[in-house]
Amino acid sequence: MRVVVAEDSVLLREGIVRLLIEAGHEVVAAVGDGPALVDAIALQTPDVAVVDVRMPPSHTDEGLRAAVQARRAAPGTRVLVLSQYVELAYADELLADGRGGVGYLLKDAVVDVDGFLDALERVGSGATVLDPQVIAQLMMRGRRDPVQTLTPREREVLELMAQGYSNTAIGRALVIGDGAVEKHIGNIFAKLDLAPDADQHRRVLAVLAYLRS
């Protein structure tokens, strides 16, 4: 895949670039701030952008805001966010269009090279991939649970969907067959009142309903 990397730490940026190249990806730009990220995405139209949340000048949420801006300008842009912390301010907006192709991992996940590269591939294919800690913090906002009608097993399936697992991977994790996974997902769609549509789009909407509960 063609990848843009946005990270203000030179050492970490170069490390990610080298990791991606060794994995067979083409890094078409490596930048250190939000405006440069937006420009690189507009110029290079990458398959995926790997984006740090905190970049100059204020080191707060410039990377996340730039990612949101890039997806507004180019709705097909796929983004894998890396952060030391969970930043909720723009996370909802990044997920809100329901198009998928979004990931949010804590930087500790980069230590797990295979997991990071797998997340990158899944985001590049249009999946939504969220770190379990990101899911936990998005869920801890005190609002009424909109998925309370789901069975415990259906909630397990939906949580794995939120982490970007395929049907086969969900079945493997829960030790159930593909048919059972499909049945659970169908029940989830029905209970969340998601009308028939492209399956990937409904998966994203189900995950959003879960996170906004």
Side-chain angles (χ1 to χ4, degrees):
M1 292 189 296
R2 301 175 70 255
V3 185
V4 165
V5 176
E7 165 63 58
D8 68 303
S9 167
V10 176
L11 288 177
L12 182 54
R13 183 169 69 237
E14 291 304 314
I16 293 173
V17 168
R18 176 169 294 186
L19 174 63
L20 294 174
I21 291 173
E22 289 178 353
H25 300 294
E26 179 185 0
V27 178
V28 295
V31 300
D33 59 66
L37 167 64
V38 174
D39 290 344
I41 288 174
L43 180 64
Q44 300 290 346
T45 59
D47 297 308
V48 185
V50 177
V51 181
D52 179 29
V53 168
R54 298 187 173 189
M55 292 194 291
S58 70
H59 294 279
T60 54
D61 56 10
E62 284 85 352
L64 200 49
R65 284 191 281 118
V68 169
Q69 181 181 344
R71 276 176 72 90
R72 284 178 185 161
T77 302
R78 291 168 178 175
V79 177
L80 176 57
V81 173
L82 299 178
S83 178
Q84 195 70 37
Y85 309 99
V86 180
E87 305 283 353
L88 298 180
Y90 286 87
D92 274 348
E93 190 170 356
L94 191 60
L95 295 163
D97 61 16
R99 296 175 182 271
V102 175
Y104 198 134
L105 299 180
L106 298 185
K107 284 187 176 178
D108 290 346
V110 181
V111 178
D112 176 9
V113 172
D114 291 339
F116 168 68
L117 293 173
D118 178 62
L120 182 75
E121 293 281 358
R122 284 187 280 159
V123 169
S125 69
T128 299
V129 181
L130 302 175
D131 190 290
Q133 292 188 50
V134 174
I135 294 173
Q137 292 204 34
L138 288 171
M139 291 287 288
M140 290 173 57
R141 289 183 286 189
R143 290 177 287 179
R144 180 178 174 273
D145 184 0
V147 295
Q148 59 184 333
T149 60
L150 301 183
T151 66
R153 176 62 86 188
E154 288 164 355
R155 293 183 187 184
E156 288 178 327
V157 170
L158 186 50
E159 182 171 355
L160 291 173
M161 287 168 62
Q163 295 178 43
Y165 282 64
S166 66
N167 287 12
T168 300
I170 291 172
R172 190 180 305 119
L174 299 180
V175 197
I176 57 178
D178 288 348
V181 174
E182 291 174 5
K183 182 178 179 180
H184 287 312
I185 292 176
N187 290 339
I188 290 168
F189 290 159
K191 290 180 180 180
L192 295 181
D193 196 26
L194 297 176
D197 197 346
D199 281 344
Q200 183 61 44
H201 185 63
R202 286 203 293 174
R203 289 174 81 95
V204 173
L205 293 177
V207 168
L208 287 175
Y210 179 62
L211 295 176
R212 290 170 175 170
S213 63

